[in-house]
């Protein structure tokens, strides 16, 4: 079954489109699909502060000074307008439309930063979103849970077929109200690329860190601390 969907706000499709051009971490293993989600919205979510502005989120992103030596900002990728076709994943298909690859996370308040490390051999991407607790929780949970329902599937982006598998990972116990984590393997053009994706919701703010597993593990604590620090927004 095929479902045509637009590009994703979560960053998954961006990783897919980049697969033929780069290889951060490689592996020959095949992963079983599952997601790791901890926490859930509480009744306290009914009373919450207003969403942070995009400008406020921008100020909470990691920068090269936070990351340390060897990191360089990655030039912004040209806007991708190609539709994405998901094949063999009923759970994603049932979401329909943009939601099938994370379009539900296209929140109006957002900020993003991309970095390369070690001369461009590895990459890390940080995304911040802000909206109501319910919208952040439902939107993020839907996409991670849908991906967890598929042992393996295929994505065709811009005419390039990409085989995708994902592996359940323990969500980091570093704070936040809800946490999700996946290890995604993309195989295209004879290349295998491994991307770790960890999402943490803290109140009305959502942090998504994606990229080389080692870099995500190294910086997730720092990213969450800076993203949730008190600031005027």
């Amino acid at each position: 079954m095929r479902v045509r969907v637009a590009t994703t706000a979560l960053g998954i499709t961006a990783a897919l489109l980049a697969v033929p051009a780069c290889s951060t971490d490689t592996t020959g293993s095949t992963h079983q699909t599952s997601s790791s989600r901890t926490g859930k919205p509480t009744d306290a979510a009914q009373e919450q502060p207003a969403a942070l502005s995009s400008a406020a989120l921008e100020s909470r992103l990691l920068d090269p000074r936070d990351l340390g030596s060897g990191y360089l900002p990655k030039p912004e990728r040209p806007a991708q307008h190609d539709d994405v076709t998901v094949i063999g994943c009923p759970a994603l298909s049932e979401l329909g439309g943009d939601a099938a690859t994370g379009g539900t996370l296209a929140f109006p308040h957002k900020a993003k930063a991309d970095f390369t490390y070690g001369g461009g051999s590895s990459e890390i991407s940080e995304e911040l979103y802000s909206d109501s607790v319910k919208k952040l929780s439902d939107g993020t949970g839907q996409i991670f849970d849908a991906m967890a329902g598929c042992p393996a599937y295929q994505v065709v982006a811009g005419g390039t077929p990409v085989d995708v598998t994902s592996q359940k990972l323990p969500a980091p116990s570093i704070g936040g109200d809800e946490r999700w984590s996946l290890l995604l393997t993309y195989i295209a053009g004879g290349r295998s690329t491994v991307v770790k994706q960890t999402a943490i919701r803290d109140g009305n703010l959502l942090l998504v860190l994606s990229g080389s597993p080692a870099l995500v593990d190294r910086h997730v604590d720092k990213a969450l601390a800076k993203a949730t620090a008190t600031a005027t927004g």
Side-chain angles (χ1 to χ4, degrees):
M1 180 177 182
R2 292 172 178 240
V3 173
R4 298 193 65 76
V5 294
T7 53
T8 166
L10 185 57
I12 296 174
T13 300
L16 291 172
L17 295 173
V19 167
C22 67
S23 179
T24 53
D25 289 284
T26 58
T27 177
S29 62
T30 299
H31 304 297
Q32 294 299 313
T33 301
S34 185
S35 66
S36 180
R37 177 180 183 177
T38 59
K40 61 181 181 179
T42 63
D43 292 338
Q46 300 301 319
E47 295 183 7
Q48 54 185 300
L52 294 167
S53 66
S54 295
L57 294 175
E58 188 80 26
S59 70
R60 299 182 181 211
L61 290 168
L62 294 174
D63 58 39
R65 291 171 299 178
D66 300 316
L67 295 170
S69 62
Y71 292 86
L72 293 174
K74 182 180 177 181
E76 186 176 352
R77 293 173 57 86
Q80 295 287 345
H81 300 292
D82 292 330
D83 284 344
V84 175
T85 303
V86 179
I87 305 170
C89 185
L92 288 177
S93 299
E94 288 174 5
L95 291 178
D98 293 354
T101 53
T104 52
L105 296 188
F107 300 114
H109 307 287
K110 55 192 175 183
K112 182 178 180 180
D114 297 294
F115 302 93
T116 61
Y117 176 71
S121 59
S122 297
E123 299 180 4
I124 187 169
S125 172
E126 181 186 12
E127 295 167 85
L128 294 178
Y129 301 93
S130 187
D131 208 319
S132 71
V133 168
K134 178 173 174 55
K135 287 182 179 179
L136 290 179
S137 177
D138 290 351
T140 311
Q142 275 188 324
I143 185 63
F144 274 88
D145 290 346
M147 293 172 68
C150 302
Y153 56 98
Q154 187 178 74
V155 172
V156 180
T160 301
V162 182
D163 294 319
V164 185
T165 60
S166 60
Q167 177 185 357
K168 176 182 178 180
L169 294 175
S173 300
I174 58 173
D177 301 307
E178 289 184 277
R179 298 170 293 278
W180 302 261
S181 195
L182 288 171
L183 189 68
L184 303 166
T185 301
Y186 305 108
I187 302 174
R191 283 184 164 179
S192 177
T193 300
V194 178
V195 175
K196 184 171 185 178
Q197 188 161 71
T198 294
I200 302 173
R201 182 188 65 78
D202 187 275
N204 65 348
L205 183 144
L206 175 71
L207 162 70
V208 181
L209 209 60
S210 309
S212 168
L215 298 187
V216 171
D217 290 343
R218 184 183 305 170
H219 297 294
V220 65
D221 298 63
K222 189 180 300 182
L224 181 63
K226 185 171 183 178
T228 57
T230 302
T232 301

